[in-house]
Amino acid sequence: MMDQKPVTPFIPPRSGLSPSVIDARSAAILREIVEQYVATGEPVGSRTLSRRLPLALSPATIRNVMADLTEQGLLYAPHTSAGRLPTDRGLRLFVDGLLQFGDLSEEEQETISAALQASGRSLETTLAEAGSLLSGLSAAAGLVLAPKADGPLKHIEFVPLGTGRALVVLVNADGQVENRVIDTPPGLPPAALQQASNYLNARLSGRSIEEVRRVVSEEIAADRTQLDTLATQIVAAGLATWTGEGRGGSLIVRGQARLLADVTEIERLATIQALFERLETQETMLKLLELVEVSEGVRIFIGAENGLFDASGLSMIVAPARNTADRIVGAIGVIGPSRINYARIIPVVDYTARVIGRLLG
């Protein structure tokens, strides 16, 4: 089991807010409203607050404070009732300095580590499991970004899957396994797949996939491969599955349906559908990497702060996955409604990101 480090969330200095902008009484009321909003999603009124607050405040006094917080843009009234909900600005202030969260228990750490045990599984399967794990723990959509592997290779194998298809198995020097399916030329004999495997493995010698591609491309151009035409096509197709993908290797999203569970407004539905479309683009992967590259720990974005979506009502919690050399090798996080349980999810994202960082080398 990994030793747990303290969670050190990095909050982007976009709001300019700090708890000092309001007094202790206002902070207590704002905190209670946010916590009730996270728990129920419903507006909170002064009478409810007077019963729940540890302070001896009358409903009238609480209403005055709520009015002041509304004027400051920290609360709003969703309709004509006396209840209030936090704005994105109010949630930011809460996350910046009023949020209280603890560490994960050893049992929770062991559960996460065991679920992501990579032994005998491909890297893609392990990352998909991490996304599903986060989605289940957060009741939101789980995100896992793994940049394209650029470390040394150990072995490449072409495995026939039937007529017209083959599986390309790539084993990195650290034991990580990645698989791709390719189309094969008509009439390809099994011997050609073995020939292609032998040819590539003889040229690995600790090279990265890009280095192997460069060496092989030079040999093919100079007609020095000593391979027949079909085997040469297989070699080129196998290498092409891992090259030309840009800086981001794969973005895995699990639990998208959770974002639609409580959506009834057409406008909100369109916003979330647009988000799904963005999550499928290479640009989004690059943006996620940019977001975490300046982070020391967990980073929290509320509403339009993250640049991936431009509407309120959604939040993203994301953390860099760092390897043993402290180099960022991916990112992991969740996207969910703004009433996500920040206190619960922040330490979960932090710990899961460190487990994934170790798995990614």
Side-chain angles (χ1 to χ4, degrees):
M1 185 187 69
M2 295 176 60
D3 293 333
Q4 185 176 5
K5 299 177 182 178
V7 181
T8 54
F10 177 84
I11 309 300
R14 294 175 179 263
S15 65
L17 292 174
S18 70
S20 61
V21 302
I22 56 177
D23 58 31
R25 184 175 61 180
S26 298
I29 291 173
L30 177 62
R31 179 190 292 113
E32 187 62 35
I33 290 175
V34 172
E35 290 178 350
Q36 286 299 301
Y37 169 64
V38 168
T40 69
E42 298 296 327
V44 184
S46 57
R47 292 191 179 279
T48 299
L49 288 170
S50 67
R51 292 192 299 267
R52 298 187 61 88
L53 286 170
L55 306 174
L57 300 175
S58 68
T61 299
I62 293 174
R63 283 195 295 272
N64 290 335
V65 174
M66 292 168 66
D68 291 341
L69 292 173
T70 301
E71 288 183 4
Q72 291 178 270
L74 302 175
L75 299 178
Y76 76 100
H79 41 72
T80 57
S81 72
R84 294 292 187 273
L85 290 174
T87 62
D88 285 352
R89 180 180 171 89
L91 286 170
R92 166 54 59 199
L93 178 58
F94 172 78
V95 170
D96 277 356
L98 303 179
L99 176 63
Q100 298 178 347
F101 52 87
D103 295 334
L104 294 182
S105 67
E106 290 189 9
E107 181 179 356
E108 290 172 317
Q109 293 181 38
E110 290 172 357
T111 298
I112 293 173
S113 297
L116 301 181
Q117 178 56 249
S119 177
R121 296 193 297 185
S122 69
L123 175 61
E124 186 172 356
T125 299
T126 301
L127 295 179
E129 179 64 29
S132 298
L133 175 70
L134 277 179
S135 176
L137 291 173
S138 65
L143 306 175
V144 182
L145 171 63
K148 184 173 55 179
D150 58 1
L153 305 178
K154 180 180 180 181
H155 184 74
I156 294 178
E157 189 75 25
F158 293 87
V159 180
L161 292 178
T163 304
R165 304 179 78 202
L167 181 69
V168 190
V169 182
L170 183 148
V171 183
N172 296 320
D174 58 7
Q176 294 176 12
V177 179
E178 298 185 53
N179 302 311
R180 299 285 195 280
V181 176
I182 62 170
D183 296 325
T184 58
L188 180 77
L193 293 176
Q194 187 60 55
Q195 187 182 15
S197 300
N198 293 340
Y199 168 78
L200 287 174
N201 286 316
R203 283 154 181 79
L204 294 184
S205 93
R207 292 186 173 113
S208 69
I209 191 70
E210 289 292 345
E211 292 170 333
V212 173
R213 184 196 61 78
R214 186 166 55 252
V215 169
V216 170
S217 295
E218 291 172 355
E219 291 193 3
I220 290 176
D223 197 23
R224 291 186 285 107
T225 64
Q226 297 183 346
L227 296 172
D228 62 31
T229 301
L230 292 180
T232 299
Q233 291 179 25
I234 290 299
V235 166
L239 291 178
T241 62
W242 272 279
T243 57
E245 296 177 351
R247 185 176 167 200
S250 59
L251 176 61
I252 298 173
V253 184
R254 291 291 183 269
Q256 297 99 315
R258 295 179 183 273
L259 295 180
L260 299 171
D262 299 323
V263 175
T264 55
E265 307 93 341
I266 296 298
E267 181 179 343
R268 290 271 289 126
L269 178 61
T271 297
I272 293 176
Q273 289 175 333
L275 169 63
F276 290 165
E277 293 175 1
R278 291 192 184 101
L279 291 175
E280 296 177 356
T281 67
Q282 182 74 17
E283 180 183 353
T284 296
M285 288 191 278
L286 297 178
K287 182 65 177 178
L288 276 172
L289 280 178
E290 291 172 1
L291 292 178
V292 301
E293 280 179 348
V294 295
S295 302
E296 294 299 326
V298 180
R299 201 167 182 188
I300 302 101
F301 299 91
I302 299 170
E305 289 179 345
N306 59 36
L308 293 180
F309 39 85
D310 303 320
S312 62
L314 294 172
S315 291
M316 181 172 72
I317 300 172
V318 63
R322 297 179 181 271
N323 63 10
T324 53
D326 203 36
R327 183 172 67 89
I328 294 177
V329 291
I332 190 165
V334 300
I335 291 180
S338 57
R339 54 180 291 254
I340 196 170
N341 190 339
Y342 298 93
R344 167 65 176 165
I345 302 308
I346 289 173
V348 168
V349 168
D350 173 73
Y351 185 76
T352 305
R354 285 190 276 114
V355 173
I356 290 297
R358 184 178 64 178
L359 294 177
L360 293 176

